[in-house]
Amino acid sequence: MTNSLIDIRGVHKRYGEVRAVDGVDLQVVAGEVFGLIGHNGAGKTTLFKMMLGLLPATTGAIHIGGEAVRGAGFREVRRSIGYLPESLALYDNLSGLETLRFFARLKGIDVAGCPAMLAKVGLAAAADQRVRGYSKGMRQRLGFAQALLGSPRLLFLDEPTNGLDPQGIQEFYQILRELRDRGVTVVLTSHILAEIQQRVDRLALMRNGRIQALGTVQSLREEQDLSLSLRVVLRERGVGGEEALRQVLAGQGIEDYQLSNGVARIECSRAGKMALLGALSGLGAAIADIEVHEPSLEDVFLGYTDKLI
Amino acid sequence: MSRIEFREVGVIAGKEFHDRLRNRWVLAVGAVFTIFALVIAYFGAAQQGAVGFRSIDVTIASLVSLVIYLVPLIALILGYDSIVGERERGSLELLLSMPITRFELLLGKFLGLALALGVATVAGFGLAGVLLIYQLGSGAVFHYAGFIVSAVLLGLAFLSMAVMVSVLAQDRMRASGVAIALWFVYVLIYDLILLGILVLSEGRFSMNFFPVLLLLNPADIFRILNIFGFEDVRRIYGLAAVFPQTLANPWLLGSAMVFWILAPLGVATWRFK
């Protein structure tokens, strides 16, 4: 990929006999929101740290913005990178505002923008409060604020919604949308797959240090060929409703369904979806509603992991 | 090797120094130095049945004993968790993701802590010095200033060791253990071992080997720096017999002290990279 912002080639990381990262090749394009998912210990955080130059690769090469991450020229690239670590540790003796000012100075950024950044993550009222008194969610917001300092063009967010309440999660993804619109490249991990499935352009599924699957959520669904789920609500019951539906399903060769109280939950293959919908339309006014549910990212994830068990 | 960005070094150093100002560490240590210095200067001769301020030579000799015990201990406590503490809390990772090299981070840490220790030492002994010089006369200024400078250098040497320990140690607990062990070895045990060697060898090493061994301990260098200029004190310590004048050159001793500041920092830099 010629316009890759992140270029990872043949990267291994070994700790003695343990292969934390085992031959990863990955390119992330500028402006992309990229998700990295996998079990605990799959190698996501190790790969993150290697991308930031915090850990040396045993073999292989990682370039960001054309610079080797362990090279002398990477310092300048770092100025345009924001990082939110999974285990965020801040200085308890500093206030929120002092924390941001410290990191702004380290990045060589004007500290005048720090109060506005605190306001952006909803911490304006706690700006002068010591971090010691912050809740986990507030610390996470502050960590996110430091990652956003200096308008980075690349963000690494490791479990960014850890400790956030539902409102905080919503606000976080709102900011993420704004960043995406501005063309910021984002690499994020999350173990809450439902959260990121609508928010990433592509994702990589890591297992045992390797990338097991790579692509868009849709392409991974199709590759897995997981069944779709249909919820059919009947207006009529009895012969005109439930019985007619059973006949349609039998006609389509579908046996995997539940039907009770006028609501049917049906599993069908992706290939058979249109034929089934066509057949259901034959029931006409007997059907009040049809919902089609794509398999979730969690289903896709479990589909891949089950294959190896 | 990339060039050093002193702005980033200054940011780290500034934070370390301000942290110590803010938690009143500098104030507390400075006050301890002032109080102990005045008490020892006034009551130092109580065992001989007299109290009161005496000559600057004898006063400094009394203060040397205080500094040798206190300053290394404070410096080691100050620096032992500078790196391992950040690592254990998890903040090191975030710091190193910033546009700063590991060397700059280490240097900034050391300089910030050195400034805190230096300010506490100069202010603490300086305040006591103002009162002492008022009692002993302005002729004592030069000697007393030399004493303060050497006390700062002694502190920096042990701070440098503490930072090295902090880089090498796996956790804070082990770092604190090693730091205390260093204090025991250099401040309490080292001279006893040398004395034992001297006695066992029946004085054979006294003029060749022994003085060089003294240079391997920054606490001894500090002691020699402060007592060799004073005939009275030299007699009290009995060092005139074992320490040759050629090794008593202040520049040589100062250089040895600077070596003790730079060498552990060099090891720390090498390991931290």
Side-chain angles (χ1 to χ4, degrees):
Chain A
M1 238 178 263
T2 51
N3 61 340
S4 299
L5 181 62
I6 301 173
D7 187 11
I8 303 173
R9 290 184 192 271
V11 166
H12 292 78
K13 180 68 187 176
R14 295 194 191 96
Y15 297 99
E17 292 298 307
V18 178
R19 296 176 176 197
V21 172
D22 192 14
V24 167
D25 287 287
L26 179 67
Q27 284 76 43
V28 177
V29 182
E32 193 173 22
V33 176
F34 190 88
L36 208 50
I37 60 172
H39 287 298
N40 291 336
K44 308 184 299 284
T45 299
T46 305
L47 187 59
F48 246 57
K49 288 180 182 177
M50 287 197 289
M51 284 193 269
L52 285 157
L54 299 175
L55 277 178
T58 308
T59 55
I62 302 178
H63 288 81
I64 294 183
E67 289 287 345
V69 294
R70 300 284 289 179
F74 193 59
R75 175 202 285 266
E76 284 312 308
V77 178
R78 273 213 173 112
R79 293 190 196 283
S80 60
I81 293 178
Y83 173 47
L84 175 63
E86 181 187 9
S87 305
L88 178 65
L90 299 164
Y91 299 105
D92 282 357
N93 62 325
L94 301 183
S95 71
L97 188 55
E98 286 167 338
T99 302
L100 276 201
R101 282 179 177 154
F102 169 65
F103 286 113
R105 286 189 191 105
L106 267 185
K107 283 187 172 180
I109 298 159
D110 188 358
V111 297
C114 292
M117 186 58 77
L118 275 179
K120 188 184 180 89
V121 297
L123 287 176
D128 296 321
Q129 187 184 330
R130 295 269 172 102
V131 172
R132 185 177 292 120
Y134 277 25
S135 67
K136 193 177 178 195
M138 290 166 82
R139 284 168 188 257
Q140 195 70 0
R141 285 167 185 256
L142 183 58
F144 189 40
Q146 72 73 29
L148 294 177
L149 283 171
S151 304
R153 65 187 179 106
L154 173 59
L155 270 174
F156 287 99
L157 308 172
D158 201 354
E159 303 285 355
T161 56
N162 254 355
L164 292 181
D165 56 24
Q167 189 191 340
I169 292 171
Q170 203 171 24
E171 287 168 4
F172 165 76
Y173 282 113
Q174 174 59 35
I175 294 172
L176 199 65
R177 266 195 297 278
E178 291 167 19
L179 293 169
R180 176 191 233 157
D181 293 344
R182 284 193 350 235
V184 175
T185 309
V186 181
V187 181
L188 63 90
T189 71
S190 178
H191 62 275
I192 306 170
L193 303 181
E195 245 180 61
I196 65 166
Q197 66 178 353
Q198 301 296 329
R199 283 141 176 153
V200 294
D201 297 315
R202 283 195 308 146
L203 58 87
L205 194 158
M206 285 194 77
R207 185 180 170 89
N208 296 334
R210 293 181 180 175
I211 291 184
Q212 195 181 343
L214 175 68
T216 62
V217 175
Q218 190 59 27
S219 71
L220 296 185
R221 274 180 187 141
E222 287 168 7
E223 192 179 306
Q224 280 284 297
D225 195 24
L226 295 173
S227 59
L228 304 170
S229 170
L230 272 72
R231 181 173 179 270
V232 179
V233 182
L234 297 170
R235 188 170 285 124
E236 296 175 25
R237 299 197 186 172
V239 178
E242 293 185 352
E243 195 48 44
L245 178 60
R246 281 197 178 92
Q247 284 176 11
V248 166
L249 295 175
Q252 294 294 316
I254 294 173
E255 296 172 353
D256 188 7
Y257 67 89
Q258 293 173 329
L259 177 58
S260 65
N261 297 325
V263 178
R265 294 177 198 282
I266 307 159
E267 298 289 316
C268 84
S269 68
R270 187 172 294 277
K273 180 179 79 171
M274 292 312 294
L276 175 61
L277 287 173
L280 287 173
S281 67
L283 294 177
I287 292 181
D289 191 21
I290 298 177
E291 293 170 12
V292 180
H293 296 280
E294 288 278 353
S296 67
L297 185 53
E298 200 160 335
D299 297 328
V300 174
F301 175 75
L302 291 173
Y304 276 105
T305 52
D306 287 349
K307 275 184 180 175
L308 290 178
I309 294 170
Chain B
M1 188 176 163
S2 59
R3 66 192 166 87
I4 299 171
E5 294 279 353
F6 286 99
R7 195 184 55 76
E8 278 85 351
V9 173
V11 172
I12 298 291
K15 180 184 177 297
E16 291 299 322
F17 181 62
H18 278 110
D19 282 353
R20 268 75 198 177
L21 277 183
R22 192 165 160 149
N23 65 14
R24 297 188 176 83
W25 186 93
V26 173
L27 183 69
V29 172
V32 165
F33 285 159
T34 302
I35 293 165
F36 272 76
L38 289 176
V39 167
I40 284 177
Y42 193 78
F43 293 106
Q47 284 180 325
Q48 284 86 46
V51 292
F53 296 110
R54 292 151 297 152
S55 72
I56 189 66
D57 301 8
V58 177
T59 302
I60 286 179
S62 303
L63 293 179
V64 162
S65 302
L66 165 76
V67 166
I68 279 180
Y69 282 99
L70 211 52
V71 169
L73 186 63
I74 287 171
L76 287 165
I77 290 171
L78 179 64
Y80 85 89
D81 83 335
S82 54
I83 298 296
V84 76
E86 297 270 6
R87 191 186 293 142
E88 215 166 278
R89 281 189 293 271
S91 47
L92 186 63
E93 191 182 299
L94 186 56
L95 277 179
L96 291 174
S97 75
M98 299 286 144
I100 184 168
T101 64
R102 285 171 180 253
F103 175 66
E104 287 161 2
L105 176 64
L106 194 69
L107 187 62
K109 285 264 178 192
F110 176 77
L111 291 178
L113 296 176
L115 187 60
L117 184 62
V119 168
T121 308
V122 171
F125 286 113
L127 185 60
V130 171
L131 300 171
L132 288 174
I133 288 161
Y134 178 74
Q135 295 289 327
L136 303 173
S138 58
V141 170
F142 179 74
H143 284 155
Y144 196 78
F147 159 75
I148 293 178
V149 169
S150 61
V152 171
L153 289 176
L154 176 69
L156 297 188
F158 277 91
L159 180 64
S160 178
M161 280 190 240
V163 171
M164 180 186 72
V165 167
S166 194
V167 168
L168 297 175
Q170 287 181 331
D171 54 59
R172 291 177 73 205
M173 192 69 88
R174 287 179 215 203
S176 64
V178 174
I180 297 297
L182 281 177
W183 184 80
F184 266 99
V185 167
Y186 281 111
V187 175
L188 299 180
I189 298 174
Y190 191 84
D191 285 358
L192 281 178
I193 292 172
L194 287 196
L195 203 60
I197 293 172
L198 201 62
V199 171
L200 286 174
S201 68
E202 296 175 340
R204 276 198 297 276
F205 296 130
S206 62
M207 293 310 288
N208 303 317
F209 195 47
F210 185 78
V212 177
L213 287 179
L214 286 177
L215 295 182
L216 296 181
N217 182 353
D220 282 329
I221 298 171
F222 170 77
R223 185 181 281 125
I224 296 161
L225 263 171
N226 280 285
I227 61 179
F228 241 86
F230 310 120
E231 183 58 36
D232 291 351
V233 182
R234 208 157 54 223
R235 214 174 335 99
I236 295 168
Y237 274 82
L239 272 171
V242 293
F243 206 85
Q245 275 297 329
T246 47
L247 283 178
N249 179 342
W251 291 107
L252 173 70
L253 295 170
S255 301
M257 197 66 111
V258 170
F259 169 81
W260 271 107
I261 297 169
L262 296 181
L265 265 187
V267 173
T269 304
W270 170 64
R271 283 299 296 160
F272 195 45
K273 278 183 173 175

